[in-house]
């Protein structure tokens, strides 16, 4: 058996374990929390008084205008200077959550704004409150439009979690770095890590396509009924 294949097979369990214990949980938690932050931020931008909307606009401007790696370094290495010390995983989770929150807020703001005003009027005409109209009429329609860009954001996040290695989170990429430090085979190990990320992204892209097709069929059914 070739040396490179032997090394890949020997290191595969360690890489997969790091992905299972750190990469996947970090991705899921960051996306769920970031999506929550994004929804709140989008609603504030659209419906809150101007001062609150301005604060959210400033937050989005800062996050979108600075590199994610710099944001992680500020949280993990910078905050201890002012007495705030966080462990690596928590710092990464906060960094990714704030980053995803900013980007998803713009996506959600756009899709909520795209829902025709007639839908609001129809909801109010049958006695719904603002909250009921938002939950039962506006968000379900906006969600179908938001699936493609949110799915792309999630897939990008899976790959972006490799940046957490820079702040010592022992996720998949740092596991590869540690093996490289003992085997001195960077090409083989980094190719293997890249293939694992590629496999994860491919599976998620396939699931995204299926979900979009299902939603498109559902949307066409509703349009036909209306």
């Amino acid at each position: 058996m070739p040396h490179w294949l032997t090394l890949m097979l020997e290191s595969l369990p360690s890489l997969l374990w790091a992905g299972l214990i750190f990469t996947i949980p970090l991705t899921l938690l960051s996306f769920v929390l970031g999506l929550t932050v994004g929804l709140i931020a989008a609603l504030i931008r659209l419906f809150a008084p101007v001062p609150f909307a301005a604060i959210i606009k400033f937050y989005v401007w800062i996050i979108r205008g600075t590199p994610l790696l710099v944001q992680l370094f500020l949280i993990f290495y910078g905050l201890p200077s002012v007495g705030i010390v966080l462990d690596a995983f928590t710092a990464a989770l906060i960094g990714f959550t704030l980053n995803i929150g900013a980007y998803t807020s713009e996506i959600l703001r756009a899709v909520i704004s795209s829902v025709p005003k007639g839908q609001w009027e129809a909801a109010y005409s049958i006695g719904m409150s603002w909250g009921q109209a938002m939950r039962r009429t506006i968000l379900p329609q906006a969600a179908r439009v938001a699936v493609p860009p949110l799915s792309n954001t999630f897939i990008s996040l899976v790959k972006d979690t490799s940046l957490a290695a820079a702040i010592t989170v022992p996720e998949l990429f740092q596991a590869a770095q540690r093996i490289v430090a003992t085997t001195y085979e960077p090409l083989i190990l980094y190719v293997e890590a890249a293939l694992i990320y590629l496999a994860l992204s491919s599976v998620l892209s396939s699931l995204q396509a299926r979900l979009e097709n299902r939603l498109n069929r559902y949307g066409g059914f509703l349009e036909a009924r209306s």
Side-chain angles (χ1 to χ4, degrees):
M1 184 180 295
H3 168 68
W4 63 268
L5 183 56
T6 301
L7 181 57
M8 279 188 167
L9 292 176
E10 290 177 349
S11 60
L12 184 60
S14 297
L15 297 181
L16 293 179
W17 180 250
L20 181 64
I21 298 300
F22 290 100
T23 300
I24 292 177
L26 181 59
T27 301
L28 293 176
L29 287 172
S30 298
F31 188 75
V32 171
L33 294 175
L35 188 59
T36 303
V37 171
L39 178 58
I40 295 171
L43 293 177
I44 292 175
R45 283 285 301 273
L46 289 170
F47 304 107
V50 173
F52 295 100
I55 293 173
I56 297 300
K57 188 175 182 180
F58 180 75
Y59 151 67
V60 172
W61 174 66
I62 290 292
I63 296 297
R64 295 180 68 188
T66 55
L68 175 55
L69 184 60
V70 174
Q71 296 164 19
L72 293 174
F73 270 57
L74 282 172
I75 295 170
F76 185 65
Y77 295 112
L79 290 183
S81 300
V82 294
I84 302 175
V85 180
L86 301 170
D87 64 82
F89 187 87
T90 302
L93 180 60
I94 293 172
F96 287 125
T97 295
L98 292 175
N99 189 271
I100 291 297
Y103 282 94
T104 57
S105 72
E106 292 298 282
I107 294 172
L108 294 174
R109 182 173 66 88
V111 297
I112 291 173
S113 299
S114 70
V115 176
K117 291 184 178 180
Q119 297 298 315
W120 287 99
E121 296 169 358
Y124 290 145
S125 69
I126 60 175
M128 287 188 185
S129 65
W130 182 91
Q132 290 174 327
M134 179 62 70
R135 291 194 310 271
R136 300 178 182 179
T137 303
I138 305 304
L139 286 182
Q141 294 183 59
R144 184 162 65 93
V145 181
V147 165
L150 289 179
S151 298
N152 290 334
T153 300
F154 182 73
I155 293 171
S156 295
L157 177 60
V158 172
K159 295 174 288 184
D160 288 343
T161 54
S162 62
L163 294 174
I167 58 170
T168 73
V169 176
E171 45 72 63
L172 194 158
F173 186 66
Q174 196 188 66
Q177 289 179 314
R178 290 179 175 178
I179 298 173
V180 167
T182 59
T183 62
Y184 303 101
E185 294 284 2
L187 179 60
I188 296 173
L189 271 301
Y190 291 150
V191 166
E192 184 175 17
L195 290 174
I196 294 174
Y197 283 114
L198 180 61
L200 286 173
S201 299
S202 298
V203 170
L204 291 172
S205 296
S206 177
L207 293 174
Q208 174 189 353
R210 290 188 179 186
L211 179 58
E212 288 180 19
N213 289 335
R214 195 166 191 175
L215 289 173
N216 287 335
R217 289 198 299 268
Y218 178 69
F221 172 72
L222 291 181
E223 291 172 3
R225 289 190 61 182
S226 60

